[in-house]
Amino acid sequence: MTSATDSPSTQAPGTDAPAAEVPVASSSLGSDATAEDARALAEASRETGWDRPSFAKGLYLGSFDLSLIHPWPAARDEDVERGEAFMARLAEYARTLSGRVIERDAKIPDEYLRGLAELGVFGMKIPREYGGLGLSLVYYGRALALLGSVHPSLGALLSAHQSIGVPEPVKVFGTPEQKREYLPRCAAGAVTAYLLTEPDVGSDPARMGSTAVPTEDGQAYILDGVKLWTTNGVIAELVVVMAVVPAHTDADGTEHKGGISAFVVEMDSPGITVENRNTFMGLRGIENGVTRFHQVRVPAANRLGREGQGLKIALTTLNTGRLSIPALCVASGRWSLKIAREWSNARIQWGQSVGKHEAVSKKIAFIAASAFALDAVFELSAELADAGQKDVRIEAALAKLWSTETSCRIADELVQIRGGRGFETAESLEARGERAVPAEQQLRDLRINRIFEGSSEIMKLLIAREAVDAHLAAAGDLASVTASLQDKAKAAVGASGFYAKWLPKLVAGAGMDPRSYSEFGRLAKQLRFVERSSRRLARQTFYGMGRWQANLAYKQAFLGRVVDIGAELFAMAACCSRAEMLLHTAPERAASAYELAEAFCEQARVRVDEYFDQLWRNTDDGDRGLTRKVLAGDYTWLEEGILDQSEGTGPWIADASPGPSKKDNLHRNYR
């Protein structure tokens, strides 16, 4: 979540971001950026304040405050009424769309896009004062899930447009003039995109090569660079581009630090070329390309925020923008459950339906319980974000991480349940007279979600950084690689005071009292487990901090397991709260909701126990040593006897040197 103070319209005027946000000189950004540069840039760009409570952050600190998520956050009646009316209209239109056509043609038909624009779908999150629908995050997510069940490329299109494209950063960081200029266009159907990644730049923006050089008169910037994997870039009218502004001096002698900055760019500007429309193993309808900028003039009025504030804008936008992917995962879970149920009843093996054989029934139980949890995790995170009273940075990140990993496992299990038919395409099934179930397509389409908007590995590091923030603050120079022994000794004294107060709180809690959470009935024991495990997790993190101190940041496998434990605990708590909510709001579903929540919690407890065990019983050190030898070429003999037909086809990373394009422009407009 962001506060009003994040918007440039409420900040003091100025060209530059505060010095703390530009800790790395512009001259140090690019291919020569060091690990220290990258770390300093990431630290400066993250939000450090916690002005509002966070349930998920508390889980990692041993503070299980159920009141932050229960009772279930209630949406405003007006939001529900408008949301339900829109969903009814959208469902009627969605029934006229064919996912098979999108898959066959590898393209979303222009008439589909025009129909969505007429319904206002491109402005679902845009405030009504700017021509949008002003829907809540909950209904925005439900709309994505509905359209994603037609074809995931529809969900990707709308998510890239509204969650991270032009509307969100302009809404949060734009000036009043920028909002009036861009938001109505976006709401009316102007497709947008977000351009950060480059051929040699992924999760390390310190290496960014794209530049935006101010003109002498200060009225514009000259943009050069190449951006990769620009989702929607092939058909976008407007894009948000991240580029490095070099340090510069005005005519009056004023010096500016520059840094990574954000710009709204018109895609019909001279010098822009969409050089390639990329194709992937899944999401065949996605309009994703390579975009080259050569001497593109961008008015200074198009800069979002201040110079050097671009990465902070990007990360803030993603705080709740990430919730679009968990919403799409909800759709896959529901569809998988439907197909698994119907198929497992229809298919007979050894005298009974396959669903009654334990080997298959275990998979069905996992799919059913996880589908309920996917729904609970998304809905809770979105309701919290809509309410605006909690900080949901970690909740949204956990929802993205856990939902993408879980939905991929569900899809894989569905293919296994379907057997050979799960591996066969829908077209082939239909051609030989069977129901066209695209199970293999779902597996392909979902795989990217573990990479989109922060890979699972990066998400774990991001969440871990926030989870251990209190430890790092308390440890001070103890957690610094460069601090002297004298400074570490001083820091140890300060840290001892923090831990002397904090550690005793982790010894006992409500989870040890069999009467706790009794209002949850049969689910009370699950919440007691979450509370106990939260304190246990905090203790284990403290042990890790004590053991590795400054080197804890490099123990990525350990931190990853810490994050995984918290993710499962968050999902368990979400399930329990949702089941209790349904008891009061939809009593006809209460019994089955409790059954699903309990089943998920029992399954999750097994995983949590395994993660705790693996914190200290693992092969991390040996694996690290083995990897060093692999990279050094010690085992190349093991690669003999095969032919690598990719050799000679091109470099590992394409050249992204600035300059004019040598290719045809593939950009097109749908309207």
Side-chain angles (χ1 to χ4, degrees):
M1 291 292 290
T2 57
S3 63
T5 56
D6 288 318
S7 174
S9 61
T10 62
Q11 296 171 340
T15 301
D16 295 333
E21 293 181 17
V22 192
V24 181
S26 299
S27 58
S28 296
L29 298 175
S31 59
D32 295 328
T34 66
E36 290 73 20
D37 292 334
R39 191 173 297 111
L41 181 64
E43 277 296 303
S45 301
R46 57 181 283 267
E47 293 182 64
T48 56
W50 292 89
D51 299 327
R52 287 166 292 176
S54 166
F55 172 75
K57 185 176 178 67
L59 283 176
Y60 289 102
L61 295 174
S63 175
F64 177 62
D65 188 352
L66 188 60
S67 67
L68 294 177
I69 65 167
H70 187 77
W72 190 270
R76 297 187 307 171
D77 291 341
E78 177 192 359
D79 291 339
V80 173
E81 183 178 353
R82 288 193 298 109
E84 290 295 330
F86 171 73
M87 288 298 296
R89 296 193 301 272
L90 182 63
E92 182 179 0
Y93 178 67
R95 292 187 183 95
T96 70
L97 308 180
S98 172
R100 298 281 297 282
V101 168
I102 296 173
E103 188 69 11
R104 181 196 66 205
D105 298 341
K107 175 185 174 182
I108 300 172
D110 289 351
E111 58 267 28
Y112 288 11
L113 300 179
R114 287 191 286 268
L116 292 171
E118 290 174 4
L119 277 174
V121 172
F122 288 98
M124 287 187 288
K125 289 179 64 183
I126 295 174
R128 285 182 286 174
E129 63 185 290
Y130 297 107
L133 298 180
L135 296 182
S136 66
L137 273 171
V138 170
Y139 280 98
Y140 167 65
R142 291 178 183 177
L144 289 181
L146 177 65
L147 290 170
S149 67
V150 174
H151 197 283
S153 293
L154 290 167
L157 164 83
L158 295 166
S159 172
H161 166 67
Q162 289 187 88
S163 293
I164 58 176
V166 172
E168 189 66 14
V170 167
K171 184 173 70 173
V172 177
F173 290 92
T175 63
E177 295 76 17
Q178 289 171 333
K179 293 176 183 179
R180 288 194 295 269
E181 180 174 357
Y182 298 121
L183 294 183
R185 283 177 60 187
C186 296
V191 175
T192 71
Y194 166 77
L195 281 56
L196 170 64
T197 305
E198 299 177 4
D200 196 27
V201 177
S203 299
D204 182 8
R207 295 177 58 85
M208 187 175 295
S210 296
T211 59
V213 180
T215 57
E216 290 188 7
D217 60 8
Q219 296 301 304
Y221 294 83
I222 304 302
L223 180 62
D224 284 278
V226 177
K227 295 295 184 178
L228 176 63
W229 297 324
T230 59
T231 299
N232 290 355
V234 180
I235 61 172
E237 293 184 29
L238 295 166
V239 296
V240 174
V241 181
M242 297 292 166
V244 177
V245 175
H248 56 100
T249 303
D250 290 342
D252 62 4
T254 303
E255 296 183 352
H256 300 282
K257 299 178 292 296
I260 296 176
S261 306
F263 302 89
V264 177
V265 180
E266 301 274 358
M267 280 295 286
D268 60 359
S269 301
I272 300 179
T273 305
V274 176
E275 297 186 333
N276 194 65
R277 185 188 178 214
N278 305 320
T279 57
F280 305 96
M281 66 182 285
L283 291 184
R284 286 175 53 81
I286 195 172
E287 298 283 358
N288 181 292
V290 176
T291 306
R292 178 179 291 271
F293 300 88
H294 176 61
Q295 296 288 289
V296 178
R297 184 180 177 87
V298 181
N302 288 30
R303 190 189 69 235
L304 285 173
R306 295 173 293 216
E307 288 181 359
Q309 200 179 16
L311 190 57
K312 188 177 186 69
I313 290 173
L315 295 178
T316 302
T317 299
L318 283 170
N319 280 342
T320 54
R322 288 193 178 97
L323 288 177
S324 62
I325 293 182
L328 291 167
C329 292
V330 168
S332 70
R334 292 173 176 172
W335 183 82
S336 296
L337 178 60
K338 181 178 186 294
I339 297 300
R341 173 181 58 80
E342 293 177 353
W343 166 250
S344 297
N345 278 322
R347 175 63 164 160
I348 304 298
Q349 285 277 66
W350 298 298
Q352 58 182 346
S353 63
V354 294
K356 294 182 179 179
H357 294 286
E358 187 175 49
V360 175
S361 72
K362 286 281 292 182
K363 299 180 186 301
I364 296 173
F366 166 74
I367 292 174
S370 298
F372 179 80
L374 284 168
D375 191 50
V377 165
F378 164 71
E379 293 271 336
L380 175 61
S381 301
E383 291 282 18
L384 289 172
D386 283 331
Q389 298 174 346
K390 313 291 190 301
D391 193 316
V392 297
R393 272 176 275 170
I394 297 183
E395 282 82 350
L398 283 175
K400 192 274 179 185
L401 169 67
W402 182 85
S403 296
T404 56
E405 293 290 334
T406 299
S407 61
C408 277
R409 183 181 167 192
I410 288 175
D412 186 67
E413 294 287 32
L414 178 63
V415 167
Q416 194 69 18
I417 291 173
R418 288 275 290 160
R421 290 172 173 84
F423 193 66
E424 192 172 1
T425 66
E427 289 74 14
S428 179
L429 288 164
E430 186 177 50
R432 61 182 185 79
E434 291 195 1
R435 182 166 167 173
V437 178
E440 59 82 29
Q441 179 196 325
Q442 178 182 239
L443 192 59
R444 290 186 287 107
D445 288 338
L446 281 173
R447 185 59 184 83
I448 187 59
N449 288 342
R450 293 167 61 194
I451 300 172
F452 261 164
E453 298 180 19
S455 68
S456 291
E457 292 73 24
I458 292 298
M459 294 306 300
K460 288 183 180 181
L461 295 181
L462 183 152
I463 297 166
R465 174 63 186 86
E466 301 296 348
V468 301
D469 185 60
H471 297 282
L472 294 176
D477 284 332
L478 279 174
S480 171
V481 177
T482 58
S484 65
L485 289 176
Q486 183 178 7
D487 289 336
K488 286 181 178 291
K490 292 180 180 178
V493 175
S496 63
F498 168 78
Y499 287 119
K501 297 178 181 178
W502 179 66
L503 285 173
K505 299 178 182 178
L506 305 181
V507 176
M512 301 175 69
D513 184 348
R515 298 166 297 180
S516 296
Y517 315 115
S518 57
E519 66 271 26
F520 284 83
R522 60 197 284 188
L523 295 178
K525 68 175 184 179
Q526 309 298 347
L527 292 173
R528 290 195 292 270
F529 174 85
V530 174
E531 195 279 336
R532 293 195 305 272
S533 297
S534 173
R535 287 184 287 107
R536 183 184 178 188
L537 180 59
R539 293 194 301 269
Q540 298 297 315
T541 305
F542 167 72
Y543 299 152
M545 188 74 192
R547 178 174 177 178
W548 293 300
Q549 296 181 24
N551 290 319
L552 178 62
Y554 302 102
K555 304 299 291 184
Q556 296 177 357
F558 175 87
L559 292 173
R561 296 181 191 107
V562 167
V563 170
D564 284 335
I565 292 169
E568 294 287 358
L569 298 181
F570 175 56
M572 290 177 67
C575 284
C576 293
S577 182
R578 186 159 184 79
E580 178 67 12
M581 179 270 288
L582 290 173
L583 175 64
H584 300 286
T585 60
E588 71 280 4
R589 298 182 177 180
S592 55
Y594 263 69
E595 291 168 355
L596 289 164
E598 185 172 41
F600 173 78
C601 288
E602 289 295 321
Q603 294 171 10
R605 289 175 73 153
V606 174
R607 294 191 290 269
V608 168
D609 287 340
E610 291 175 349
Y611 288 138
F612 270 123
D613 180 57
Q614 292 168 13
L615 283 176
W616 307 106
R617 190 174 66 87
N618 53 65
T619 61
D620 295 348
D621 292 340
D623 292 343
R624 190 162 52 250
L626 178 62
T627 299
R628 282 196 294 266
K629 292 187 175 183
V630 169
L631 297 177
D634 289 9
Y635 309 122
T636 53
W637 57 267
L638 192 57
E639 302 165 9
E640 296 173 0
I642 54 95
L643 296 175
D644 178 5
Q645 297 195 351
S646 71
E647 287 188 356
T649 59
W652 285 107
I653 299 172
D655 180 36
S657 301
S661 179
K662 300 177 182 178
K663 298 185 178 182
D664 294 334
N665 188 6
L666 302 181
H667 183 261
R668 65 181 180 83
N669 294 315
Y670 83 90
R671 62 175 191 156

